[in-house]
Amino acid sequence: MNASRVDYYTLEEITARFGGELIGDGNIRVGAVGTLERAGPDEITFLANARYRPLLASTQAGAVILAPTERASASVPCIATDNPYAYFARVAQLLHPRRSAPPGIHPAAVVEDSACVASSAHIGPFVYLGRDVVIGEEAEISSGCHIGAGTRIGACSKLYPNVVVYHECQIGSRVILHSGVVIGADGFGIAPEEGRWIKIPQIGRVILGDDVEIGAATTVDRGAIDDTVIEEGVKLDNQIQIGHNVRIGAHSALAGCVGIAGSARIGKHCTIGGAAGISGHLEICDHTVITAFTLVTKSITRPGVYSSGMPSMAHHAWLSNAAQVRNLERLARRVRDLELEVSRLKGEQS
Amino acid sequence: MNASRVDYYTLEEITARFGGELIGDGNIRVGAVGTLERAGPDEITFLANARYRPLLASTQAGAVILAPTERASASVPCIATDNPYAYFARVAQLLHPRRSAPPGIHPAAVVEDSACVASSAHIGPFVYLGRDVVIGEEAEISSGCHIGAGTRIGACSKLYPNVVVYHECQIGSRVILHSGVVIGADGFGIAPEEGRWIKIPQIGRVILGDDVEIGAATTVDRGAIDDTVIEEGVKLDNQIQIGHNVRIGAHSALAGCVGIAGSARIGKHCTIGGAAGISGHLEICDHTVITAFTLVTKSITRPGVYSSGMPSMAHHAWLSNAAQVRNLERLARRVRDLELEVSRLKGEQS
Amino acid sequence: MNASRVDYYTLEEITARFGGELIGDGNIRVGAVGTLERAGPDEITFLANARYRPLLASTQAGAVILAPTERASASVPCIATDNPYAYFARVAQLLHPRRSAPPGIHPAAVVEDSACVASSAHIGPFVYLGRDVVIGEEAEISSGCHIGAGTRIGACSKLYPNVVVYHECQIGSRVILHSGVVIGADGFGIAPEEGRWIKIPQIGRVILGDDVEIGAATTVDRGAIDDTVIEEGVKLDNQIQIGHNVRIGAHSALAGCVGIAGSARIGKHCTIGGAAGISGHLEICDHTVITAFTLVTKSITRPGVYSSGMPSMAHHAWLSNAAQVRNLERLARRVRDLELEVSRLKGEQS
């Protein structure tokens, strides 16, 4: 799908680089990744989910990455490894390296005098870099981005077009921010007084650790007083809202449309499913899993899987059941009364 | 509300163009659409919902579009038609044509040499067109848009300001993308390895069919390996997230804030209500209706209406009921025990 | 955290300006706000929530703003006031004034001839101002914003980078729009006809009252025929979707990720929690509180607190309970049957 020059690697070169057990002809050359279903003889694919095993017999791929236990099923050369999906990720990075933009500042960018841009960095057209901005080596700031005064962007980070980072924020190295991301907007800090809201200036910052990736149109608010912190290796999908003073522990991953209210603290190595919500001022411990559509209103202190998303059913049946939910306390009382009656009846009988 | 030149049409001219039965004076001229409540004598309105029928008697509109069965209630000239809302849509398009921007490339745009822009297309200021981009006839790319290398935009498509389309995507003809839309950002593809996440390059594309419209700040991720596909005539509202490898069938419509997880396949002619969520790797058949706030976790194979959104009630009552939901399995067991006891009691009595 | 010049104020100067009772040395000077936990001797903090009271004894802050009832607990100079949080907001505004951008139009902006920009306004680089746009005194339009033809921006309003306001909208004075906000995109108006959707031109406007603040990536659609109206003093958090023809009453506040469907009317002084949803064409009365994750499908006519968000629990327990919800109507019928049986048994016994 990619019109640019392709580099080919033999399976031997790949296993020399990444390990794994080579099964079959090591001289096979591949230049791209593909799916089990559609990969051609120049492409390498993977099997990480048993339900796709039937496709192994018919795949036209040049090679397959799979677990040692699956090797018997394959009809083509294989690389056997304990973690085929991670191995595939590395091979895909090798075959499909990120296109890097040429170094230099586009003449249609506006860069304040006191900004400091590494010579190997790329600054695209229509980019604005404020006072005292620092852009690290090999960083790429694509067209239409705005970097506020005093913000630092680490080495090798990539900002896709139309990202905004407000003033005084710290972005680590190898960070990826997709288009429409907004980092450092004011948190929702308002105080009620006589029926009106008074704005509380938001003077904290946003700190993004190294290797953070943030999906399109996700927003991370700056801290009210202290900082909002996303630790290293965190992956955020699209359309997520992170409130002020939130801390997300290292290597956690959040799916699309999640909302984290202000001052919540998410542990390390957590995963949060799509459109889940975390209330403010609570703590989620390390290694917690929250499933999609779940609302968390209290701190979670034991690792595990937590849920409250209600799966769908036919509309009319759902309406009847939902109506019963609204009478559930009464129903429970009626069951209690029945238990008393029945125990009385049993007493009278005996 | 629109300061620009207005074109007037007589009711006769309108029915000549769009059909329908004219009732009353065909020489009445209208130059705008309005609501039953507020339209003036130069405006035409419609009745498509019986609950607004009482307004028919008092409307000051110049004319009303309505169903044949409603014609008796009207006090002003009418156009009777079986689908008044669709008829109204066509009249509104006639009276309020889209303003088209002048052809040409604004001097403050940056266009790579190998990009190909139709002479009738409009490219606004601060637009960036990457290498090998193709912009079709009469397409409008408004200020601040970024079109990545190799992407094609079809004829008569309109991109509102600050839209981003990443590289290698295909946008059909007559497509409308509202501001803040991001097409083709990386899908959420990460593989866990020893407590860290390894990025999987996303090498698929996004393909948008003809006549697709996408609302403000909606994001459609590119495919991981194969493509993400939105078929012709699909309408997406604002703030929607479409994951990688999703396919949405022709003429489906999704309301605001919906999330579709990766590799889900939505059929044709489906409608999905606001903030509903569809889990990954499942299929929804054609002509399915999902109501607002519903979570779909399994494939749907029969057309129909599906729900799981729980309507609100007073907070304290809700808290009691929600607490009971959390004990529901125990309650069900208690009911089973009661049934056994009662059947035993009946046996002893007889 | 802010490298710029700091102004210091004595506690006496602060109480002279904002009232409150000064307890302790009025010559203490503060130049920033801080948290109870981390503020230093040059900083002023506040206590508004009893659970943070234990920190009062150990705080290193120069002064604390608190309620008169808390004054005995403080170890440092205090300002006692009935609404410490609102008082703190005013002090924070004093110590951390908004940075204002210099007046003038950046040479890299594009301003149509008929646009009218106040001489004290700031227009940043890569801004586009359409025909007949009016920008008020001391307004700031930051880099990458697009203001459509005929739109007016009131005095002292601030648009952060990459905001889009479509044509013919009205933005009040002292309005704040954060990055990624889109005002005035087309509402989701489509009419079905023979399996396809016909677009209904959206000819209404968006009207934002004075002192409205809108968070990052929030979208407010223009009206279909009449206008979408956000009244004065409304505060919208990030990632919110406001459909066409919605009206939000003065001084209401909506948390992140809320969705309001078309033609809903929200009263004044309402608060809506995160990710709540309001169906279309209904009315919520003044002073209503909707909690997070709640779905409102019917009008609310009595002020109060309303909910339907289901709090999370351990996944396996939740699965069992959720399965029971899907059988709830049947369970209720079984309870009814039991009640009949038991009453029959009692009758036979007596």
Side-chain angles (χ1 to χ4, degrees), chain C residues 81-136:
Chain C
T81 170
D82 289 338
N83 189 343
Y85 196 41
Y87 196 105
F88 171 75
R90 295 197 188 284
V91 171
Q93 287 178 1
L94 177 70
L95 299 177
H96 304 275
R98 197 172 89 183
R99 303 156 177 231
S100 57
I105 299 175
H106 194 285
V110 169
V111 179
E112 298 291 348
D113 285 345
S114 57
C116 174
V117 179
S119 60
S120 59
H122 166 87
I123 308 295
F126 319 126
V127 167
Y128 174 78
L129 305 183
R131 277 174 294 109
D132 302 318
V133 160
V134 177
I135 306 290

Side-chain angles (χ1 to χ4, degrees), chain C residues 127-215:
Chain C
V127 167
Y128 174 78
L129 305 183
R131 277 174 294 109
D132 302 318
V133 160
V134 177
I135 306 290
E137 293 292 345
E138 295 179 49
E140 291 182 35
I141 314 294
S142 309
S143 75
C145 289
H146 171 108
I147 312 294
T151 284
R152 305 173 74 97
I153 310 279
C156 302
S157 287
K158 174 154 190 173
L159 276 60
Y160 280 90
N162 291 6
V163 166
V164 175
V165 186
Y166 281 49
H167 54 281
E168 309 289 346
C169 294
Q170 301 275 344
I171 312 296
S173 297
R174 296 174 306 279
V175 166
I176 299 172
L177 303 182
H178 282 283
S179 292
V181 162
V182 179
I183 303 293
D186 284 348
F188 201 51
I190 50 177
E193 188 189 52
E194 296 173 11
R196 291 164 178 274
W197 300 101
I198 307 177
K199 180 175 178 68
I200 296 165
Q202 304 288 298
I203 62 168
R205 302 170 299 174
V206 174
I207 312 292
L208 301 185
D210 294 339
D211 300 299
V212 166
E213 179 164 357
I214 300 187

Side-chain angles (χ1 to χ4, degrees), chain C residues 1 34 38 42 44 64 70 72 88 91 111-112 117-118 126 132 164 172 228 235 240 276 280 296 302 324 332 336 340:
Chain C
M1 276 142 213
R38 303 198 190 171
D42 285 354
I44 184 166
V64 181
E70 303 284 0
F88 171 75
V91 171
V111 179
E112 298 291 348
V117 179
F126 319 126
D132 302 318
V164 175
T228 303
K235 308 298 180 186
I240 290 171
V296 179
R302 291 178 53 178
Q324 295 297 340
R336 217 173 318 129
L340 290 173

Side-chain angles (χ1 to χ4, degrees), chain C residues 187 219-222 228 241-247 259-263:
Chain C
T219 50
V220 181
D221 281 347
R222 66 193 312 112
T228 303
Q241 154 64 0
I242 307 290
H244 54 185
N245 307 317
V246 166
R247 176 177 282 263
I260 312 282
S263 301

